[in-house]
């Protein structure tokens, strides 16, 4: 107890008064969010509400125009070394997988640990095998991404991010581009990851997933966080009109 | 009982021929006429090139003029001028070795096993140094031969290889600068590329060979050959830069984002993710550009270099072989064909190899 109180409180990710403009369009309006280590956050909201923009600011795929982003105790600034340092600790999974098509699955998983973390080849290979096992496709290691199904590609993309041994994982609509029958194989992997204590921020419309694993569900609209609540409260006792409207559209049928 | 579905048997070769060329009487007639014309042309060519041709130099030019066919004795008598130009006769073995050196260098760098930074640098460093030492001499007891005396195939190959070696990296730099996020860099690069592309190659070669020495300080001028090579490399790079840029545009933006998200630096993203995919997209146009550049080396004759075509002119132009120009040009065309055709086949091999795992 006393040990805890003397140690400064350091959340995994903290956004303070985050502002982002695309030209004159105000994409994020003074967004505040703090994510603890080991916490699982699901972000939902209508398209254009700023969900993707928000998580893309965390690893500087988008540059914010105002406010402060702190990742693992380090404030994100314009310095390239600072940005790359934060990106090494923050894994990201994209809607369209973005695997490198000119490399095998194995090479996709090995390249960043080798050239970014400077790990020896043998170690990178062992790590890659370990995580391909974890996402349940060790047998596809020597294939090229183009030879895999969408669900398999997305699982490789998760393994590729995990091979960097990140402390935070960002998921940007990881199942939106998948055929319906492939969604569950990807969600299963994400559920496993969540159960192992990974800090996760997931932009997704999979409300079943949110109910199962989220510690908090965040609803965004018009560049603002409209509501944040634990899932049971969020789904059953939402106070906000816009949230209720969105939920009825997502869950309605 | 199980029904077994079998595809109808493919028609035999003879059947196929019949269907394609002899289906109707008219088609059969046309096929026969075409066949006769082709046979006539082939016979005439063979007769000229082989059966009625003169191959030995023993009879001299007179024996040739008496014969009805080709006079290949001109090649036997003058091949050294065609291949080596004005290079001193006694030293021409060096020129031949230098040709072998650059051809071996090119062949080695075409093998995928040599595609690592260190190996390719080693091969190119060794190849060009060997060429330069052999051609120029002045060391190791080799007679000094100035660049103005280099000529023939050796010079053509040297200009082509160095144009590519300098022009290709320059093209990649230009393409990267052109996609810079800083507008003053991308715009300036755009103006340079468009400027160079809007000038004819001849005027660039002329400027670099003749005009530049007046504008540059003495220590920077260098030999005319190297100025011409630089001009030709600049021209090559302006075209190639746009080809590379086109290839880069074909790589989805998500590729670079994924590389960024993994913490890769700018040069790692360019070298490992963007360029390999861009070059695959740009390969057919790139091979095209190489072929064009190889043939454009013949333009250096206007600034006084005797590359293979000019050497060929010299080979028949003086004295007794004046009548045998067709044979000399056929020989030179054959040499061009060997190099350009190998280049095209290599391009096809690369395309097949890179198609592995394509979406």
């Amino acid at each position: 107890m006393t040990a805890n109180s003397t140690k400064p409180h350091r959340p995994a990710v903290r956004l303070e008064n985050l502002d982002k403009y695309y030209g004159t369009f105000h994409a994020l309006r003074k967004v505040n969010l703090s994510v603890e280590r080991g916490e699982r956050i699901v972000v939902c909201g209508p398209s254009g509400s700023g969900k993707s923009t928000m998580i893309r600011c965390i690893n500087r795929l988008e540059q914010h125009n105002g406010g402060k982003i702190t990742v693992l105790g380090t404030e994100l600034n314009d310095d390239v070394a600072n940005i790359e340092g934060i990106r090494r600790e923050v894994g990201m999974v994209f809607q369209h997988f973005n695997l490198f098509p000119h490399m095998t699955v194995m090479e996709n998983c090995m390249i960043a640990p080798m050239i970014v973390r400077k790990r020896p080849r043998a170690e990178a290979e062992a790590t890659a095998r370990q995580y391909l096992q974890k996402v349940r496709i060790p047998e596809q290691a020597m294939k090229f991404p183009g030879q895999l199904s969408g669900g398999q590609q997305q699982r490789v993309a998760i393994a590729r991010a995990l091979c960097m041994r990140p402390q935070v994982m960002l998921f940007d609509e990881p199942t939106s581009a998948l055929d319906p029958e492939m969604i569950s194989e990807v969600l299963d992997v994400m559920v496993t990851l969540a159960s192992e204590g990974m800090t996760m921020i997931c932009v997704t419309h999979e409300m079943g997933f949110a109910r199962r694993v989220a510690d908090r569900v965040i609803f965004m609209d018009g560049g603002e966080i409209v509501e944040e609540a634990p899932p049971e409260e969020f789904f059953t006792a939402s106070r906000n009109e816009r949230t209720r409207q969105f939920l009825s559209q997502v869950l309605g049928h | 009982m199980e029904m077994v579905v079998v595809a109808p048997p493919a028609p035999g070769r003879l059947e196929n021929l019949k269907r394609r060329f002899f289906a109707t009487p008219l088609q059969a007639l046309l096929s026969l006429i075409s066949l006769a014309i082709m046979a006539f042309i082939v016979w005439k060519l063979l007769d000229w090139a082989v059966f009625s041709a003169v191959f030995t130099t023993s009879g001299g030019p007179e024996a040739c003029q008496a014969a009805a066919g080709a006079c290949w004795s001109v090649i036997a008598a003058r091949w050294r001028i065609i291949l080596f130009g004005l290079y001193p006769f006694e030293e021409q073995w060096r020129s031949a070795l230098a040709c072998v050196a650059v051809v071996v260098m090119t062949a080695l760098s075409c093998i995928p096993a040599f595609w690592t930074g260190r190996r390719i640098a080693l091969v190119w460093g060794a190849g060009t140094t060997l060429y330069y030492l052999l051609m120029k001499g002045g060391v190791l007891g080799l007679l000094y031969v100035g660049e103005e005396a280099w000529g023939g195939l050796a010079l053509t190959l040297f200009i082509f290889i160095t144009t590519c070696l300098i022009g290709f990296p320059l093209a990649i730099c230009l393409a990267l600068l052109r996609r810079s996020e800083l507008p003053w860099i991308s715009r300036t690069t755009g103006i340079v590329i468009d400027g160079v592309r809007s000038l004819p190659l001849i005027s660039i070669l002329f400027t670099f060979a003749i005009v530049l020495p007046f504008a540059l300080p003495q220590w920077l001028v260098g030999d005319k050959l190297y100025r011409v090579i630089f001009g030709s490399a600049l021209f090559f790079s302006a075209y190639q830069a746009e080809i590379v840029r086109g290839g880069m545009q074909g790589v989805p933006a998500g590729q670079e984002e994924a590389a960024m998200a993994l913490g890769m630096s700018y040069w790692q993203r360019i070298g490992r993710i963007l360029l390999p995919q861009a070059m695959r997209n740009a390969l057919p146009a790139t091979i095209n550009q190489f072929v064009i550049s190889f043939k454009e080396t013949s333009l250096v004759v206007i600034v006084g270099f005797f590359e293979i075509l000019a050497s060929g002119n010299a080979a028949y132009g003086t004295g007794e072989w004046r009548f045998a120009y067709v044979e000399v040009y056929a020989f030179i065309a054959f040499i061009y064909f060997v190099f350009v055709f190998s280049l095209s086949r290599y391009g096809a091999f690369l395309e097949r190899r890179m198609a592995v795992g394509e979406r």
Side-chain angles (χ1 to χ4, degrees):
Chain A
M1 179 101 186
T2 45
N4 260 346
S5 56
T6 53
K7 212 168 146 189
H9 177 69
R10 290 213 312 198
V13 177
R14 168 175 270 171
L15 312 177
E16 291 163 84
N17 294 323
L18 194 61
D19 265 314
K20 167 73 187 169
Y21 294 85
Y22 292 110
T24 57
F25 177 68
H26 203 170
L28 293 177
R29 298 164 185 265
K30 301 256 177 285
V31 170
N32 284 285
L33 177 68
S34 183
V35 181
E36 298 302 314
R37 284 170 195 264
E39 205 179 8
R40 281 93 56 172
I41 306 286
V42 165
V43 185
C44 60
S47 75
S49 61
K51 339 178 268 298
S52 287
T53 305
M54 182 180 77
I55 69 165
R56 287 164 60 86
C57 281
I58 295 172
N59 64 352
R60 200 37 104 81
L61 291 186
E62 302 286 350
Q63 188 171 352
H64 58 287
N65 306 112
K68 193 169 148 187
I69 299 175
T70 315
V71 182
L72 302 162
T74 311
E75 186 185 341
L76 185 62
N77 60 32
D78 289 338
D79 178 47
V80 175
N82 166 283
I83 295 171
E84 283 168 7
I86 286 176
R87 284 174 178 164
R88 280 197 290 272
E89 304 303 327
V90 178
M92 188 164 199
V93 175
F94 299 86
Q95 182 177 2
H96 295 288
F97 331 134
N98 299 353
L99 293 176
F100 306 130
H102 59 303
M103 299 179 186
T104 62
V105 164
M106 199 65 186
E107 288 164 345
N108 265 281
C109 293
M110 286 165 63
I111 182 160
M114 281 172 67
I115 69 173
V116 178
R117 289 238 193 252
K118 316 279 180 213
R119 308 317 302 170
R121 170 173 283 272
E123 186 191 321
E125 199 172 329
T127 311
R129 288 202 188 285
Q130 177 196 335
Y131 283 110
L132 286 174
Q133 187 83 44
K134 190 184 184 73
V135 301
R136 302 184 202 109
I137 34 175
E139 72 284 358
Q140 313 283 7
M142 288 308 152
K143 288 194 179 165
F144 284 90
Q147 298 167 300
L148 305 183
S149 74
Q152 290 173 323
Q153 289 193 45
Q154 192 61 298
R155 285 186 283 149
V156 172
I158 295 174
R160 176 177 71 176
L162 291 176
C163 282
M164 282 293 282
R165 301 194 188 277
Q167 303 188 45
V168 178
M169 283 286 285
L170 307 175
F171 292 83
D172 188 3
E173 306 209 22
T175 55
S176 304
L178 294 176
D179 290 333
E181 75 272 20
M182 293 170 184
I183 290 178
S184 67
E185 64 186 59
V186 171
L187 289 181
D188 285 348
V189 169
M190 290 169 64
V191 169
T192 313
L193 204 56
S195 70
E196 290 167 357
M198 175 62 82
T199 310
M200 294 165 71
I201 305 178
C202 315
V203 173
T204 181
H205 293 133
E206 296 298 328
M207 291 301 130
F209 173 78
R211 235 186 257 269
R212 253 168 96 191
V213 306
D215 296 308
R216 262 188 297 159
V217 181
I218 287 172
F219 176 72
M220 289 183 76
D221 193 17
E224 291 171 311
I225 293 185
V226 175
E227 184 160 3
E228 57 178 294
E232 60 274 21
E233 188 186 324
F234 181 82
F235 288 110
T236 55
S238 174
R239 291 157 304 218
N240 188 286
E241 176 56 32
R242 280 189 285 178
T243 312
R244 282 204 302 275
Q245 194 187 346
F246 175 77
L247 282 177
S248 74
Q249 281 161 349
V250 178
L251 305 169
H253 29 243
Chain B
M1 268 296 274
E2 206 176 320
M3 275 280 284
V4 181
V5 183
V6 182
R13 194 175 288 182
L14 206 65
E15 181 64 21
N16 226 338
L17 219 64
K18 218 166 108 183
R19 276 194 209 167
R20 286 194 188 185
F21 301 107
F22 297 94
T24 65
L26 179 66
Q27 213 182 4
L29 185 69
L30 286 175
S31 296
L32 285 175
I33 292 175
S34 318
L35 209 62
I37 293 174
M38 277 194 289
F40 179 74
I41 292 173
V42 169
W43 166 251
K44 273 289 172 194
L45 260 180
L46 273 179
D47 184 48
W48 176 80
V50 183
F51 304 131
S52 308
V54 181
F55 289 94
T56 55
T57 46
S58 52
E62 296 75 25
C64 268
Q65 277 171 312
C71 174
W72 298 120
S73 23
V74 64
I75 309 297
R78 292 299 175 91
W79 63 274
R80 279 180 166 238
I81 295 183
I82 299 175
L83 293 186
F84 307 124
L86 303 174
Y87 207 77
F89 192 85
E90 290 302 314
E91 306 290 325
Q92 283 177 358
W93 59 272
R94 281 161 50 185
S95 190
L97 269 186
C99 281
V100 172
V102 282
V103 168
V104 168
M105 168 183 101
T106 314
L108 283 182
S109 51
C110 284
I111 301 170
F114 282 88
W115 294 349
T116 64
R118 197 188 305 168
R119 285 182 196 169
I120 213 89
L122 196 73
V123 167
W124 287 351
T128 43
T129 312
L130 203 58
Y131 178 94
Y132 186 77
L133 286 181
L134 280 168
M135 289 299 279
K136 187 121 180 193
V139 286
L140 305 170
L142 296 173
L143 186 73
Y144 174 86
V145 182
E147 279 87 352
E148 66 284 352
W150 298 6
L153 180 63
L155 185 65
T156 293
L157 286 178
F158 185 66
I159 293 175
F160 173 63
I161 298 283
T162 44
T163 294
C164 296
L165 281 187
I166 301 170
F168 203 83
L170 195 60
I172 291 174
C173 289
L174 287 175
L176 289 175
L177 287 174
R178 193 160 196 185
R179 68 190 278 285
S180 162
E181 281 168 17
L182 303 173
W184 61 273
I185 291 185
S186 58
R187 272 195 214 131
T188 315
T189 316
I191 290 171
V192 170
I193 290 174
D194 292 343
V196 173
R197 286 199 305 170
S198 58
L199 296 170
L201 178 55
I202 288 191
S203 73
I204 290 179
L205 294 182
F206 201 75
T207 308
F208 274 75
I210 315 290
V211 183
L212 214 55
F214 298 113
L216 287 179
Q218 196 55 44
W219 58 271
L220 236 174
V221 169
D223 190 85
K224 187 167 76 171
L225 177 61
Y226 303 111
R227 293 201 305 274
V228 165
I229 286 173
F230 189 75
S232 142
L234 189 69
F235 188 76
F236 174 86
S237 68
Y239 280 88
Q240 184 59 30
E242 288 297 276
I243 294 174
V244 173
R245 189 169 71 100
M248 286 175 179
Q249 280 172 343
V251 180
Q255 289 293 311
E256 213 176 344
E257 285 186 355
M260 281 183 188
L262 288 165
M264 291 190 203
S265 68
Y266 175 79
W267 289 111
Q268 289 173 338
R269 300 197 298 265
I270 298 295
R272 302 298 191 110
I273 308 302
L274 186 65
L275 275 182
Q277 295 184 60
M279 289 320 299
R280 178 159 93 180
N281 298 341
L283 188 66
T286 300
I287 294 291
N288 203 23
Q289 191 57 36
F290 273 81
V291 166
I292 291 172
S293 304
F294 186 76
K295 295 193 280 195
E296 274 177 347
T297 53
S298 61
L299 288 179
V300 298
V301 69
I302 68 131
V303 288
F305 286 109
F306 281 78
E307 45 67 61
I308 188 162
L309 199 59
S311 306
N313 285 337
Y316 75 81
T318 51
E320 69 263 31
W321 296 105
R322 209 171 271 277
F323 62 92
Y325 56 90
V326 175
E327 289 82 351
V328 170
Y329 283 133
F331 180 65
I332 294 170
F334 175 72
I335 293 176
Y336 270 106
F337 178 81
V338 167
F339 282 98
V340 171
F341 192 71
S342 329
L343 207 56
S344 308
R345 294 323 300 162
Y346 178 63
F349 157 77
L350 274 188
E351 275 182 54
R352 274 197 309 279
R353 187 176 188 279
M354 288 179 170
V356 175
E358 201 149 14
R359 271 184 240 263

